[in-house]
Amino acid sequence: QGQLVESGGGLVQPGGSLRLSCAASGFSLDSYAIGWFRQAPGKKREVVSSISSADDSTYYADSVKGRFTISRDNAKNTVYLQMNSLKSEDTASYVCATVYGLGRAAAFEHYDPDYLGKGTLVTVSS
């Protein structure tokens, strides 16, 4: 049975950085698009970033564009989300998910994930 495990969350001051990891086991990420959702209390879940299965094209929500970078290392079967210049409004639980064969990263939010992690908490506070 495949699973996704996130790590790298924690408490960071505004302006700081974190790198989240999403490690897959039981299946290969090669043919999957991967996305990062975030869910904060009282807020709607949003896809902050995704990377396609086809050409590693990427998508970023306007709220994180220029600050977050998504990347994948197929050899390690892991996807990363580098988060810089963090703001208090970035505080949320971050969850990674996969969609098989999705070649258009921007469409990620319109598909039900094949696999979904349990999330890692990011808290941005002074």
Side-chain angles (χ1 to χ4, degrees):
Q1 186 72 13
Q3 66 173 347
L4 299 171
V5 177
E6 303 92 339
S7 61
L11 174 64
V12 63
Q13 292 186 343
S17 298
L18 283 174
R19 189 177 80 157
L20 305 184
S21 299
C22 172
S25 61
F27 71 103
S28 173
L29 285 173
D30 289 15
S31 298
Y32 290 82
I34 301 99
W36 286 93
F37 294 93
R38 69 182 178 188
Q39 177 81 64
K43 293 187 179 180
K44 185 180 176 182
R45 188 179 76 170
E46 66 169 332
V47 174
V48 295
S49 183
S50 56
I51 186 166
S52 79
S53 67
D55 57 3
D56 285 354
S57 58
T58 56
Y59 161 83
Y60 297 96
D62 287 344
S63 57
V64 307
K65 205 171 289 183
R67 300 188 297 121
F68 289 12
T69 303
I70 190 170
S71 61
R72 64 195 299 162
D73 185 335
N74 286 339
K76 294 184 178 180
N77 219 25
T78 300
V79 172
Y80 304 98
L81 185 68
Q82 177 66 44
M83 306 188 298
N84 299 328
S85 303
L86 283 161
K87 306 175 181 180
S88 58
E89 51 263 44
D90 295 319
T91 295
S93 178
Y94 285 73
V95 179
C96 65
T98 64
V99 173
Y100 182 79
L102 180 61
R104 195 164 72 93
F108 193 90
E109 66 177 327
H110 301 299
Y111 290 79
D112 291 329
D114 309 287
Y115 297 99
L116 194 67
K118 294 184 178 180
T120 184
L121 182 62
V122 172
T123 303
V124 184
S125 175
S126 54

